[in-house]
Amino acid sequence: MITHIRGKLIEKNPTNAIIEANGVGYWLNISLNTYSQIPDQESIFLYTHLAVKEDSHTLYGFISKIEREIFRLLISVSGVGPSIARTMLSSMTTDEIQRAIASGNVGVIQSVKGIGAKTAQRVLVDLRDKISNTFAIDEVSVNESNTNKNEALSALEVLGFNKKQSEKVLDKVLIEDSLASVEVLIKKALKNL
C-alpha cells in the first residue's frame, strides 16, 4: 500500500525514525543497518513495508530496495515475523544474509537472536531458490565469489585438507570479505584450518 516515503526527518533512533510528509508524521520501524545509513539531513527517502495484523498496522522503513526485499522474503517464512526479520537485518548486512542463504549456512542464520535450529533450516529451504532474485536487485555476482571459493577449495584439497571442513572455513571468510581473491581466501582459510 505504501511503497516509499519522502519527507522531513523529525527523529532518528536505532529502532525507529519519524518522518513528516505533507504535515503527517510517520513512525517507521527500522533496522540498525538503515539507522547507520540514514543521513543527518532534513530531507529523507525510505522504502517502506506496511505489515497489517488484526490489532495493528506497522510501517517498516528501509534504506534500500534490497533490504526491503530481503525483509519481505524473511517474513514469508513460517515462524519468522517482522520483529525477527528486523533483528536479522540489524545483526547482519543484506549481503551476509544473501550469502548465508545461498550457501546453505545454517550456523549464520541460527546465530540471530530468536531463530532456532528448525526455523533456520526452514529459512534456508524456503528461500534458497528465491534469494537468487535479490542478487539481481543488488547487482552482486554470486558466481564470481563461487568461482573464487571453488578454486580455493580445490587448492586446499590438493594441500590435503578435508573438503567439508575447508568449505565451512571458506564460507566464514566469504561472509567477512565477500570480494576476497582466491589468494586471500586460501591464506585466511589456512589460518583457520
Side-chain angles (χ1 to χ4, degrees), residues 84-183:
I84 291 176
R86 183 171 68 158
T87 302
M88 187 180 282
L89 287 165
S90 292
S91 56
M92 293 190 281
T93 66
T94 55
D95 197 38
E96 290 170 339
I97 294 169
Q98 290 177 98
R99 291 199 189 289
I101 293 170
S103 66
N105 194 332
V106 180
V108 171
I109 303 298
Q110 199 174 338
S111 70
V112 175
K113 187 177 185 270
I115 294 187
K118 286 183 180 177
T119 306
Q121 286 288 350
R122 206 174 303 124
V123 166
L124 294 178
V125 169
D126 289 1
L127 300 183
R128 184 170 279 155
D129 294 335
K130 296 177 185 175
I131 203 73
S132 60
N133 297 333
T134 64
F135 280 107
I137 294 170
D138 205 21
E139 296 177 356
V140 173
S141 172
V142 74
N143 294 335
E144 182 182 314
S145 61
N146 277 348
T147 303
N148 289 352
K149 177 184 167 186
N150 290 339
E151 286 182 38
L153 190 59
S154 295
L156 291 169
E157 279 184 271
V158 169
L159 293 171
F161 291 99
N162 178 298
K163 183 176 182 175
K164 284 188 178 182
Q165 188 179 5
S166 298
E167 196 163 11
K168 284 181 183 177
V169 171
L170 286 171
D171 285 338
K172 286 180 184 176
V173 172
L174 281 168
I175 288 169
E176 292 170 14
D177 182 8
S178 59
L179 301 174
S181 67
V182 177
E183 295 81 12

Side-chain angles (χ1 to χ4, degrees), residues 1-2 48-52 56-60 62 71-72:
M1 185 175 152
I2 301 171
T48 61
H49 174 83
L50 179 64
V52 179
S56 69
H57 290 223
T58 310
L59 198 57
Y60 292 88
F62 308 95
F71 177 84
R72 288 176 172 168

